Amino acid sequence: MPIDTLAREIGRIAQNDGPHQTPIEALSFYRSSERTPPMPCVYGLGLAVAAQGGKQVTLGDQVIDYGPGQSLLTTVDLPVVARVTRADLATPFLGLLLRLDARSLVQRAAEMDLPPLSRESPPSAISRIPLDPPLLDAVIRLVRLLDEPGLTAHMAPLIQQEITVRLLAGAHGPYLRYLVSAGSPGHQVARAMAWLKQNFSRDVRMDELATSVHMSPSTFRQHFRHLAGMSPLQYQKQLRLQEARQLMLNQSLDAGSAAARVGYESAPQFSREYSRLFGAPPQRDIRRLRERVDGGVAVSVS
């Protein structure tokens, strides 16, 4: 089966557990020979494909399981909780992530004769859909291109463009077009999300943020929750906590310094909210992560 072919190609390159960046900047692999605990992280604009094993992603109240031959498309930056649910030494989880370029999506969508968006309930920012054969074939060809380093720089952009076009024209298309159609509620909310990601440490009135994207506060909150699976304030809070965790893990900041850096004025409040998201107080959580790294277990889940 073609999905078995993709699994073999990924397994041949990703021979150890953890994330694997490839010479194609937008393409990375992930391998795990065991199930993993829930890991809060941020998924950006991209296409994730499970080639072997199984994975679960939780966004707010939405729980998504996907396995071999299924793809997960994320259209905006989303704080999620991810974990590998099916994997062992004989049959490890094998998957890939292809980051998508927003400008290329907008350009391709403008050039294509695509059907109008439905006026029914707008799509969410994350979708799980089986890979159709032509799209799977394009993904396999992109992976196999890694064996031809002399052609990679010239051919990879062409195959990536093909994948973008197939995504826009296929079942994932409405989810993407909802975000790239200028003036659509999804496009306006995506602009607000992008601003929050760049300014998450700042205090901001959500009513003012709604006004900045030309939406009423109630409409803004409604569309934001539908798209992101959480309220704007919850979204900002998770971005702050994710960044604080990275600062403590990678820059060895103490909890108080990290809290202040991401916009918290109250250290106890930071500790409470951190514990709710990550399952342990900051110091204990970071110690646990470092022990996993020292033990050779990758803590990055993508």
Side-chain angles (χ1 to χ4, degrees), residues 1-10 140 144:
M1 294 177 62
I3 195 62
D4 296 330
T5 299
L6 180 60
R8 285 195 299 272
E9 294 295 331
I10 295 174
I140 291 173
R144 283 179 166 168

Side-chain angles (χ1 to χ4, degrees), residues 33-112:
S33 57
E34 62 181 5
R35 291 180 294 176
T36 62
M39 178 67 67
C41 53
V42 176
Y43 276 15
L45 174 61
L47 179 73
V49 176
Q52 184 172 278
K55 199 168 186 181
Q56 183 181 87
V57 175
T58 302
L59 172 65
D61 297 330
Q62 185 179 9
V63 179
I64 302 171
D65 290 285
Y66 71 111
Q70 293 181 313
S71 61
L72 197 71
L73 177 77
T74 312
T75 54
V76 293
D77 292 321
L78 294 175
V80 302
V81 177
R83 66 188 183 103
V84 173
T85 54
R86 296 197 307 275
D88 56 37
L89 286 172
T91 312
F93 173 83
L94 297 169
L96 67 78
L97 174 66
L98 179 64
R99 296 192 303 277
L100 302 176
D101 181 71
R103 286 176 295 182
S104 177
L105 279 166
V106 172
Q107 182 180 354
R108 298 283 87 78
E111 295 170 350
M112 298 170 67

Side-chain angles (χ1 to χ4, degrees), residues 33-291:
S33 57
E34 62 181 5
R35 291 180 294 176
T36 62
M39 178 67 67
C41 53
V42 176
Y43 276 15
L45 174 61
L47 179 73
V49 176
Q52 184 172 278
K55 199 168 186 181
Q56 183 181 87
V57 175
T58 302
L59 172 65
D61 297 330
Q62 185 179 9
V63 179
I64 302 171
D65 290 285
Y66 71 111
Q70 293 181 313
S71 61
L72 197 71
L73 177 77
T74 312
T75 54
V76 293
D77 292 321
L78 294 175
V80 302
V81 177
R83 66 188 183 103
V84 173
T85 54
R86 296 197 307 275
D88 56 37
L89 286 172
T91 312
F93 173 83
L94 297 169
L96 67 78
L97 174 66
L98 179 64
R99 296 192 303 277
L100 302 176
D101 181 71
R103 286 176 295 182
S104 177
L105 279 166
V106 172
Q107 182 180 354
R108 298 283 87 78
E111 295 170 350
M112 298 170 67
D113 183 19
L114 298 168
L117 289 170
S118 170
R119 293 184 178 274
E120 298 176 357
S121 179
S124 69
I126 192 166
S127 55
R128 176 196 59 199
I129 293 175
L131 281 171
D132 60 69
L135 180 57
L136 177 55
D137 175 70
V139 170
I140 291 173
R141 282 187 280 113
L142 182 65
V143 173
R144 283 179 166 168
L145 193 60
L146 295 169
D147 290 331
E148 302 179 90
L151 298 179
T152 300
H154 306 285
M155 295 294 296
L158 300 178
I159 302 178
Q160 288 172 263
Q161 180 175 317
E162 176 188 348
I163 290 172
T164 296
V165 170
R166 292 192 180 281
L167 286 171
L168 284 165
H172 281 301
Y175 298 87
L176 288 169
R177 300 203 305 278
Y178 181 66
L179 269 297
V180 302
S181 299
S184 71
H187 184 258
Q188 291 168 292
V189 170
R191 285 173 51 207
M193 287 180 170
W195 190 92
L196 281 173
K197 187 182 179 186
Q198 295 298 319
N199 300 276
F200 58 80
S201 63
R202 293 175 54 180
D203 289 329
V204 57
R205 291 177 57 86
M206 291 303 159
D207 289 359
E208 294 176 357
L209 185 58
T211 300
S212 73
V213 293
H214 311 293
M215 300 178 78
S216 71
S218 60
T219 300
F220 175 69
R221 288 181 173 84
Q222 177 186 355
H223 282 282
F224 196 108
R225 182 176 288 278
H226 186 90
L227 193 65
M230 63 191 72
S231 71
L233 285 174
Q234 289 172 319
Y235 183 85
Q236 182 189 41
K237 181 191 299 182
Q238 291 208 23
L239 290 178
R240 285 180 169 182
L241 294 171
Q242 294 277 7
E243 177 64 15
R245 194 187 207 198
Q246 292 301 316
L247 289 171
M248 289 185 288
L249 183 63
N250 299 325
Q251 296 186 25
S252 299
L253 264 65
D254 60 74
S257 299
R261 181 83 67 87
V262 301
Y264 276 88
E265 296 181 359
S266 167
Q269 179 187 3
F270 169 73
S271 184
R272 286 194 302 271
E273 295 182 351
Y274 188 102
S275 298
R276 279 198 292 268
L277 180 61
F278 297 112
Q283 187 175 3
R284 189 191 310 166
D285 175 60
I286 297 303
R287 184 168 60 247
R288 179 180 59 188
L289 289 177
R290 289 186 174 137
E291 287 172 352

